[in-house]
Amino acid sequence: MITSFQRQFLAAAVAAVLLAGAGGAVAQQVATAGPAQISIDNFDFKPSTLTVAAGTTVTWVNNDEEPHTIVNVGQPTRVFKSGGLDGGDTYSFVFDKPGTYDYICSIHPHMSGQIIVK
Amino acid sequence: MDTEKPDSPGTNRRTLLKCMAWAGTGIVWTVSGGVPRMLTMGEAIAAPADGFTFVQISDTHIGFNKEANPDAAGTMQAALDRIATLPKRPAMILHTGDVTHLSKPAEFDAAAQIMKGAKFDAHYVPGEHDVIGDDGKQFFERFATQANPGGWYSFDQGGVHFIGLDNVQNFEKSHAGGFGSDQLEWLEKDLKGRGASTPIVVFTHIPMWPIYPQWGWSTEDAPQALANLKRFGSVTVLNGHIHQVVQQIEGNVTYRTAMSTAFPQPAAGEGPGPGPLKVPADKLRGVLGIREVTIVAEKPAAVSDATLA
């Protein structure tokens, strides 16, 4: 026999599953949308991994006072490479080809991120 | 500290004195411009009357104009003015990198102009701020035309063998400083055949020992470089990058990072990252500085850090 408490719990569980599904749909939407943005805050790329559809323009915004750069490393390498971005500066790159692109800040190479293009 | 091996050429009285000093016995402190200076016992007993004296400056960051120091050109000039008033005129200046903030032509111009005005012979190695976008082309054209294609070089002056190493262009694998195999190979050849009694001064930008790898304050392949250096009786490694004085002694090798002339940075791991540390304007020159180094044969280098206050 299902008590009312259990029924409520079940309903909440179902809602959570539905919400999670919706969240997945949102993530899917990000992957197919036009522009995408990565913010640099306190020596971190946020998000550190971003999945986008081919053709997406990705823009990095440096919110730190310290300058940063965006340099593609690994394989493929140097597909994109920014100049020095001072505080408030931005850098954009259009990702046309599917693949996984690793990048770092060459001024602070302990900062790293990844763009996955589908 | 390395454990001394019985057959190590470094096991002698000098090494023992240095180790004692590091362990806390036999330290003599003096204060210069508010910064404590450690003298070894040997030096305190017989202070060098002469010797080869040069100055290290670092992290001038010309072009930086944020709150931590709106006038990096002014404080760089103040550092050079301070050097000009030293009782013993230094033979030359070593600049351990981050001459500019963003590798912009106007920043290189301004830095070159300030250095020219000071009329000192000077040798430079790049910091990561000097090689943005062009792999150091502008930097080497202006400040190190004698460098090998990868950015490294050596020269002899005052009985000392000086080695300028570039550890800011090999960051891909290590996510920290790195020399790369070409430079390590060159270093091995450069040192081969030199007498172990030759005093060695290595100058480079990023620390060669792991002060705080989480912030990139280390050089991944420094142990390979060290393998070639440790047979020498006196090795002084001077660097910048972290904008504060930190030192370490390992056997005959002494590592010393220097203050910036532009702005301080937090101690390792304090705060979100290695960015400019803001201090009240009237305290700024108390955390910026220069370093005087005197090398006397058969003795450890005498090093004195002085603030601009």
Side-chain angles (χ1 to χ4, degrees):
Chain A
M1 182 187 161
I2 296 173
T3 65
S4 106
F5 175 77
Q6 281 170 325
R7 203 171 288 122
Q8 277 180 358
F9 178 79
L10 269 175
V14 167
V17 168
L18 284 173
L19 273 173
V26 169
Q28 206 71 36
Q29 272 179 1
V30 169
T32 55
Q37 188 169 302
I38 294 169
S39 64
I40 308 174
D41 292 297
N42 287 330
F43 298 81
D44 253 337
F45 295 111
K46 293 176 181 169
S48 59
T49 300
L50 180 67
T51 303
V52 297
T56 301
T57 300
V58 176
T59 300
W60 284 263
V61 183
N62 180 12
N63 295 320
D64 281 352
E65 274 201 356
E66 180 73 357
H68 296 293
T69 66
I70 315 296
V71 180
N72 172 217
V73 295
Q75 283 304 325
T77 190
R78 302 291 191 275
V79 173
F80 52 97
K81 177 178 158 184
S82 78
L85 307 181
D86 209 351
D89 287 354
T90 64
Y91 169 71
S92 295
F93 185 78
V94 182
F95 285 87
D96 284 328
K97 288 188 182 164
T100 299
Y101 301 85
D102 292 318
Y103 65 91
I104 61 170
C105 164
S106 66
I107 303 174
H108 311 98
H110 65 286
M111 297 169 57
S112 61
Q114 191 178 60
I115 308 289
I116 300 167
V117 182
K118 294 205 164 162
Chain B
M1 197 182 301
D2 283 348
T3 309
E4 294 289 342
K5 296 184 188 76
D7 60 347
S8 162
T11 309
N12 54 28
R13 183 173 167 273
R14 182 174 67 232
T15 309
L16 183 66
L17 284 170
K18 276 164 67 173
C19 289
M20 281 167 61
W22 191 243
T25 53
I27 297 178
V28 178
W29 294 94
T30 65
V31 175
S32 177
V35 175
R37 170 194 183 200
M38 189 183 75
L39 297 174
T40 61
M41 276 180 67
E43 188 186 3
I45 292 161
D50 205 356
F52 182 72
T53 299
F54 63 94
V55 166
Q56 178 191 4
I57 61 171
S58 202
D59 297 270
T60 48
H61 283 266
I62 294 303
F64 182 85
N65 56 12
K66 300 287 196 298
E67 197 186 332
N69 181 1
D71 185 17
T75 48
M76 179 182 180
Q77 185 62 58
L80 292 166
D81 292 347
R82 181 66 177 265
I83 294 166
T85 64
L86 289 172
K88 183 179 177 184
R89 185 177 168 85
M92 53 119 165
I93 294 175
L94 296 183
H95 192 313
T96 45
D98 284 355
V99 174
T100 70
H101 194 53
L102 287 167
S103 302
K104 290 181 179 168
E107 296 174 348
F108 281 115
D109 283 345
Q113 205 59 37
I114 293 169
M115 288 302 289
K116 196 177 160 195
K119 296 187 171 63
F120 280 101
D121 182 21
H123 302 272
Y124 307 75
V125 285
E128 69 288 341
H129 286 256
D130 298 319
V131 297
I132 299 169
D134 69 350
D135 297 324
K137 190 169 176 288
Q138 295 177 88
F139 177 88
F140 290 111
E141 276 172 8
R142 286 168 188 275
F143 296 121
T145 48
Q146 77 277 42
N148 289 285
W152 50 85
Y153 60 99
S154 68
F155 62 95
D156 294 292
Q157 197 172 343
V160 181
H161 187 58
F162 289 88
I163 305 169
L165 299 179
D166 176 350
N167 58 3
V168 298
Q169 297 195 88
N170 270 281
F171 45 69
E172 296 206 5
K173 283 178 188 151
S174 60
H175 288 202
F179 295 123
S181 53
D182 288 354
Q183 186 164 206
L184 289 169
E185 209 173 290
W186 171 86
L187 179 65
E188 187 179 349
K189 281 184 195 151
D190 183 73
L191 292 171
K192 209 170 186 177
R194 278 180 206 284
S197 63
T198 310
I200 305 283
V201 172
V202 175
F203 59 112
T204 190
H205 181 64
I206 296 176
M208 276 178 63
W209 84 106
I211 296 181
Y212 198 66
Q214 296 93 317
W215 282 358
W217 290 3
S218 67
T219 302
E220 178 79 1
D221 47 8
Q224 285 104 296
L226 195 63
N228 290 304
L229 289 163
K230 63 183 179 189
R231 74 178 171 89
F232 290 89
S234 163
V235 180
T236 306
V237 180
L238 304 172
N239 68 272
H241 190 56
I242 71 169
H243 298 214
Q244 58 199 291
V245 173
V246 178
Q247 61 180 26
Q248 168 136 327
I249 300 175
E250 289 177 19
N252 295 340
V253 182
T254 307
Y255 300 95
R256 297 176 186 271
T257 76
M259 283 181 276
S260 162
T261 71
F263 54 87
Q265 286 193 348
E270 284 184 13
L277 188 67
K278 288 167 199 153
V279 299
D282 61 339
K283 302 273 188 254
L284 178 63
R285 290 187 183 210
V287 286
L288 307 179
I290 61 167
R291 163 176 289 162
E292 194 180 4
V293 183
T294 297
I295 309 261
V296 179
E298 301 301 318
K299 292 182 110 183
V303 176
S304 168
D305 292 291
T307 71
L308 303 185

